[in-house]
Amino acid sequence: MTTESGQPDLHERLATAVRGNVSATIAAMLASLASQVWLARRAGPTGLGEYNATSLFVTVLTTLALLGLPLAVTERLASRYEASADRARDAMEGAAALTAIACVVVVAVAAVAWTPFANAVRLVSPASEIVIAAAGVAAVVQAFVVAVLLAQLRMPAVTAVVVAQPAAVAAGLAASYLGPSADGSVLAAAGFIASGVVAAVLLAPMRIKPRFHREQVELLIRRTVPNTTRLYFSMLSTWIDRLVVVFVVGPAGLGAFVSAGFLTEAVLRVPRTTGSFGVSAYALLADDAIGVRRVMDSQVRLIVGFLLIVGSMLFTGAEGILTLVFGPGFASAATTLRILAVALIPMGITLAVSSSAVAIGRHRRLVAGLAVLPLLQIALGLVGTRLLSIAGMALSSVLLWCAALALLIATRRNDQAVLVGDTALRIAATTVPLYVVDLL
C-alpha cells in the first residue's frame, strides 16, 4: 500500500523496518556470541573478564557523556522526519554538535580515569590510555550514527555498524594465531574502534556539520535526561551489575558471571533492540492511544512467550550449555545462569513497557524513580555478591527487575497499568510452575 505521492505508507514502512530490525538483532547476536565464545575458549574466565571490564569502562564512560542523547535523536528525527526535511537536518546538526562535545569529555575522562580503574579491578594487561580514548570517541560516534539510522529506518546500515564490533574481535583472535596473543582489553578497544570507523563511513555521505541550532539543541537537551530512563533499563543496569562484580571478585569472577549473563543477554537482544526501535515506532503513534495500547499488548505477549521458551531451556540445561559453549572452566556459573533465566521475564516486560513510556512522554515520575533504582541495584548487588558471589548478583537482578516493573506499572495510565499488571500476573502464574517442574 502506498500514499498518493507513491511512497509506501507508514504501516508498510514500519513492518519492513521491523523485519530488518529482527535481522539486525540476530546478526549482531550471532556475531557477538561467536567472538566471545572464541575468546572464552582461548583465554578462559580471566581473559573474558578483562575483555568485559574494558568494555564496561568504555560503555559506561560514553553513556554518561551522552546520557539519553542517542534516544532523543531517534525520537526527534522520527517525529520530524515526515514533516520537514530541513527541520530534521537542523536536529541532526544540533545533535552532531552535542556529540562533538561528548567526544571531548570522553577523551579527557579516559586520560584521567582509565589507569586507576584498571588498577582497581586488577587488570593484568590493560590497553593504553590512547587506545581507550580512541575507543571512547568511536563509541560516541557509533551511538550518534545508529540513532540517526534508526530514525530513518535504515536497518541494513544499522546491522553493518553493530556487527563490525564482534567482527573486529574475531579478526584479532584469528591474527593472534600468527603472532603474539591479543589481550582481552586490547580486543575490546579494537571492537569499539572498528564499529566507530564503519559508523563514520556511513555518516560521511550525509554531510552533517555540527551546528548549534538553538531550538533543536534545546529540544534535544530537554529530551536527553528523560530518555536516560529507557537507557538505564536497556543498557546501564547490565553494566552496573558487571561493575559491582568486577570490583568485588575481580576479572576471573567477572568472566564467569559474563558467561552466564551473555547467554541471557543474547536472548534479551531481541527485546532490547526492539525496544530501541520501539522508541521510534511509539513516537510516530504517540497521538493514537488505542494504537499504543495494541502495540504494547502485542509486544509484551510476543516477547514473554519467546523468553519463557528460551528461559526454560537455559534453566534446565544450565551446566551442560555453559560447558558446551564456553568450556569446562565455566561450569561454576550454572547456578547463576539458572537465576538469570528466571530474571528474563520481568526484564522482558520492563523493556517493552519502558520504550513506550519514554516515546509517548509519560516518564516524569519514571525519571524520579530512576534516582532510586540504580542505588537499589548497587546496594542489592554488593550485598548479594559478597554473600553468594556471582549467584548473589544474579539473585539481586531478579529482585531489581521486579521492582522496576512495579514502578513502570505505577507510572502508566490507568488502562495501560491494568493491561500490563494483568499480563504480568498471568505470566507469573505460568512461569513459577514451569520452573518448578524444570527443577524436578
Side-chain angles (χ1 to χ4, degrees), residues 282 291-305 352 419 423:
Y282 280 118
V292 169
R293 176 175 173 145
R294 287 177 177 173
V295 171
M296 184 174 67
D297 185 34
S298 298
Q299 187 181 7
V300 169
R301 291 175 184 275
L302 288 172
I303 287 174
V304 170
L419 167 68
T423 301

Side-chain angles (χ1 to χ4, degrees), residues 201-431:
V201 170
L202 291 171
L203 180 65
M206 300 182 195
R207 300 183 182 278
I208 299 172
K209 297 179 180 179
R211 292 177 180 171
F212 280 93
H213 299 282
R214 182 175 178 179
E215 177 187 2
Q216 296 297 333
V217 169
E218 289 178 352
L219 287 170
L220 287 169
I221 291 175
R222 283 204 298 269
R223 294 294 299 164
T224 289
V225 175
N227 273 294
T228 305
T229 59
R230 167 65 196 166
L231 193 64
Y232 170 75
F233 292 123
S234 65
M235 179 186 295
L236 281 179
S237 57
T238 298
W239 293 106
I240 290 175
D241 281 353
R242 295 180 182 185
L243 186 64
V244 171
V245 168
V246 75
F247 272 106
V248 175
V249 297
L254 177 61
F257 179 79
V258 166
S259 68
F262 184 79
L263 293 173
T264 54
E265 284 297 309
V267 175
L268 282 171
R269 288 294 286 269
V270 173
R272 285 192 195 281
T273 309
T274 301
S276 297
F277 168 76
V279 171
S280 178
Y282 280 118
L284 290 167
L285 298 171
D287 296 329
D288 183 1
I290 295 176
V292 169
R293 176 175 173 145
R294 287 177 177 173
V295 171
M296 184 174 67
D297 185 34
S298 298
Q299 187 181 7
V300 169
R301 291 175 184 275
L302 288 172
I303 287 174
V304 170
F306 168 70
L307 294 180
L308 270 174
I309 294 172
V310 180
S312 179
M313 294 171 60
L314 293 176
F315 189 94
T316 304
E319 185 172 347
I321 293 172
L322 283 168
T323 54
L324 175 65
V325 175
F326 293 98
F330 292 85
S332 60
T335 300
T336 302
L337 177 55
R338 290 191 178 96
I339 298 173
L340 289 176
V342 175
L344 282 173
I345 304 304
M347 285 181 183
I349 302 175
T350 302
L351 289 168
V353 178
S354 65
S355 62
S356 67
V358 169
I360 64 177
R362 298 186 178 276
H363 47 56
R364 291 184 180 179
R365 282 158 53 185
L366 193 58
V367 172
L370 190 62
V372 176
L373 286 176
L375 297 177
L376 177 63
Q377 181 179 6
I378 293 171
L380 289 172
L382 285 172
V383 172
T385 306
R386 290 189 183 280
L387 291 177
L388 300 171
S389 190
I390 59 175
M393 173 55 78
L395 181 60
S396 73
S397 293
V398 176
L399 299 176
L400 175 81
W401 284 96
C402 288
L405 179 57
L407 174 65
L408 278 170
I409 292 174
T411 59
R412 304 297 298 184
R413 277 176 25 177
N414 289 338
D415 60 331
Q416 295 176 0
V418 171
L419 167 68
V420 178
D422 180 62
T423 301
L425 288 174
R426 284 188 280 113
I427 290 168
T430 303
T431 304

Side-chain angles (χ1 to χ4, degrees), residues 61-62 65-66 69 97-107 136-137 140:
L61 172 59
T62 54
L66 290 167
L69 178 62
L98 295 174
T99 300
I101 294 174
C103 287
V104 175
V105 172
V106 163
V107 170
V137 170
V140 170

